Amino acid sequence: MTNKLLRKPKNTDGLYNKYQNLGFIQNPFPNEPSVKPYSSDSRVNGSIFLTSLRTEEIQSFKDNVVNTPNKIGLMMDYAAYKGRGIGKTAFLNYIKKSINEDLGEEISNGNSVLYSVYVAPSADKSNRTLDQIAHAIFTSMHNEGLFLTVFCRLRAMSGLLDNVIDENINEEVYESTIANDDWLLERNIDVVSVDTYVRNVLMDAGLTDNNTNLFGCNYKEFCSLLNDDKTDFFWKKEGLKFLFVNVEKLLKAAMFTNCIILLDEAEKIIQYQNFNERRAFCDNLRTFFIDGNNSNAIDGFFKIVLTIHPNSQELLMPHWAAAGLDRFCSLGGNTSAQNTIFFKPISNDQSVINALAKIYLRESKIDKQDDSINPFTQEAIDFAMEKSDRIPGKFLKLLYIVVEKAAKYGWTIIGKEQVNLTWQDGAEQSTITQLESSINDKELAKTKVNL
């Protein structure tokens, strides 16, 4: 017997592929149909996204958020009536990636330089105030590398780096090239002149001498000064001003037009707020986004999109009205279409349903030329979508379970009968409807938004 201190896991390379008879290298569908952006698994990291599934929502985002003066937008998620998993997080992840990939050139038709930051409430229920959300926004900016891009854009704007910037210079190499003094010196770039230019730009932007000193050094020192280690006390007292004034000036100096904040699962904030916190949350939204005495409210640099559900809409509505926000961003009623992206279950279009199944199947097929829905029949796909209430997450989870059963029992063709057997086998209660619990145990109030 091997001593447990020396025990290692078995090498699983070369083991029998139980999905081979189905034509797969793995189960094509995610066991947990939720987005994990930093996962290497394409089934869950958001890299698999069917744009044709959400053409209306994408266009609505362009019309109601990007190419509009609206400062506050809403994404109304109607999945709460039938369970979670409608795909809003995957949608927001797609929006964020598509904006940041070219800094909004395509989505704005070349009119704007944009950046998008995704934030979601933490699991410990601590994100209940706008200053706590501001902290999360700033942390996401750090994690996504925004400030590295800002640093490099400011240097590049000097015009002194034109001879060394080509198509090979991208965000993957920013830190080792444009942000690296030694790399610039090796190419005969006058780093002192570059930093002097940047310092003058920041002074013209209204940043203090203390802020501009951040750029009198290399990128590593810059990051240590613009750090994310500020205390909770700082964020409570100074955080909103820091983000919506100082950081805004920094991004504007780098010639960004707007920064779009994607606040997912806002109901997790609203649900745990008390009366005063909800009122303060709405008041602060108005102060820092609409007409407060701060630069962001004046020029609308930051925009925010809140994802809400019908029940959280009801909780927020009286405070929204009391803060006067309904005049600028309607939370319901006939004018809500001007600022709201309605996120509903997918249409009962067979071609769209097939495309959703195919995009996952294709990633895991042994034969990469096979673009069919095999080993599923058309009846099986349609029946699975019907049983899933046209909610993508529930649909993908059901197909995952069916594939597991097919591998176990040796099914080589998956028809309606196999899907029905899986459904009747307790999947509905034990797994699918428990993808995520409802927001609370109360019956959801009827929405006041007219679809």
Side-chain angles (χ1 to χ4, degrees), residues 156-167:
M157 283 159 43
S158 68
L160 300 172
L161 278 63
D162 291 353
N163 292 335
V164 299
I165 296 178
D166 56 30
E167 65 276 3

Side-chain angles (χ1 to χ4, degrees), residues 236-299:
K236 184 176 181 179
K237 295 297 182 182
E238 304 290 338
L240 291 172
K241 180 181 177 182
F242 174 73
L243 180 68
F244 294 120
V245 177
N246 291 357
V247 173
E248 182 212 344
K249 289 178 179 178
L250 179 62
L251 299 185
K252 286 181 68 177
M255 294 187 69
F256 281 91
T257 311
N258 290 109
C259 179
I260 301 174
I261 301 164
L262 306 174
L263 180 55
D264 198 4
E265 299 186 295
E267 79 280 355
K268 290 184 179 178
I269 299 170
I270 299 163
Q271 177 189 358
Y272 298 111
Q273 290 172 332
N274 58 37
F275 182 95
N276 290 333
E277 287 172 336
R278 286 183 192 136
R279 183 61 55 86
F281 178 75
C282 293
D283 286 341
N284 279 329
L285 278 178
R286 175 162 180 171
T287 297
F288 286 94
F289 285 91
I290 303 297
D291 55 7
N293 185 23
N294 58 84
S295 56
N296 186 63
I298 294 169
D299 57 35

Side-chain angles (χ1 to χ4, degrees), residues 350-421:
Q350 190 177 88
S351 63
V352 173
I353 296 170
N354 283 354
L356 177 60
K358 281 182 180 180
I359 198 171
Y360 279 89
L361 290 168
R362 191 183 306 124
E363 293 286 318
S364 298
K365 283 197 173 181
I366 296 173
D367 180 4
K368 296 301 181 183
Q369 303 303 314
D370 183 2
D371 194 38
S372 70
I373 59 173
N374 292 334
F376 291 89
T377 67
Q378 187 63 59
E379 273 192 323
I381 294 295
D382 293 344
F383 185 70
M385 182 57 75
E386 175 190 335
K387 289 296 184 183
S388 302
D389 294 323
R390 296 187 291 116
I391 301 297
K394 296 170 71 174
F395 175 67
L396 296 174
K397 181 66 177 185
L398 176 54
L399 295 185
Y400 171 87
I401 300 170
V402 173
V403 169
E404 288 298 311
K405 286 188 176 292
K408 180 178 180 180
Y409 296 118
W411 302 338
T412 54
I413 297 176
I414 301 174
K416 178 179 178 180
E417 180 182 357
Q418 284 73 29
V419 176
N420 193 37
L421 283 171

Side-chain angles (χ1 to χ4, degrees), residues 39-183:
S39 171
S40 60
D41 189 339
S42 62
R43 293 170 295 181
V44 297
N45 64 13
S47 60
I48 299 177
F49 183 81
L50 185 63
T51 55
S52 62
L53 193 70
R54 296 298 179 188
T55 53
E56 290 185 13
E57 289 84 351
I58 292 171
Q59 187 60 50
S60 181
F61 190 92
K62 291 179 181 179
D63 295 340
N64 294 342
V65 179
V66 176
N67 302 313
T68 177
N70 291 344
K71 299 176 182 179
I72 300 176
L74 305 170
M75 191 162 80
M76 182 68 73
D77 181 358
Y78 284 91
Y81 284 129
K82 297 182 179 180
R84 305 289 288 279
I86 198 169
K88 60 178 173 47
T89 301
F91 174 80
L92 293 176
N93 186 65
Y94 164 78
I95 289 292
K96 185 195 76 170
K97 284 186 174 182
S98 62
I99 288 176
N100 295 347
E101 186 175 14
D102 61 2
L103 297 184
E105 182 174 9
E106 181 178 350
I107 201 169
S108 72
N109 301 318
N111 295 322
S112 304
V113 179
L114 307 174
Y115 185 80
S116 182
V117 57
Y118 171 88
V119 288
S122 60
D124 61 6
K125 306 175 185 178
S126 62
N127 296 127
R128 301 204 305 266
T129 62
L130 193 59
D131 56 85
Q132 292 167 334
I133 296 166
H135 188 185
I137 293 167
F138 184 72
T139 300
S140 292
M141 289 176 170
H142 253 295
N143 293 342
E144 293 291 334
L146 170 61
F147 297 118
L148 173 59
T149 299
V150 168
F151 186 92
C152 292
R153 279 180 62 85
L154 286 165
R155 283 188 159 187
M157 283 159 43
S158 68
L160 300 172
L161 278 63
D162 291 353
N163 292 335
V164 299
I165 296 178
D166 56 30
E167 65 276 3
N168 297 315
I169 303 298
N170 55 48
E171 59 270 13
E172 294 180 1
V173 298
Y174 281 168
E175 192 164 358
S176 61
T177 56
I178 305 303
N180 188 314
D181 289 358
D182 292 335
W183 186 88

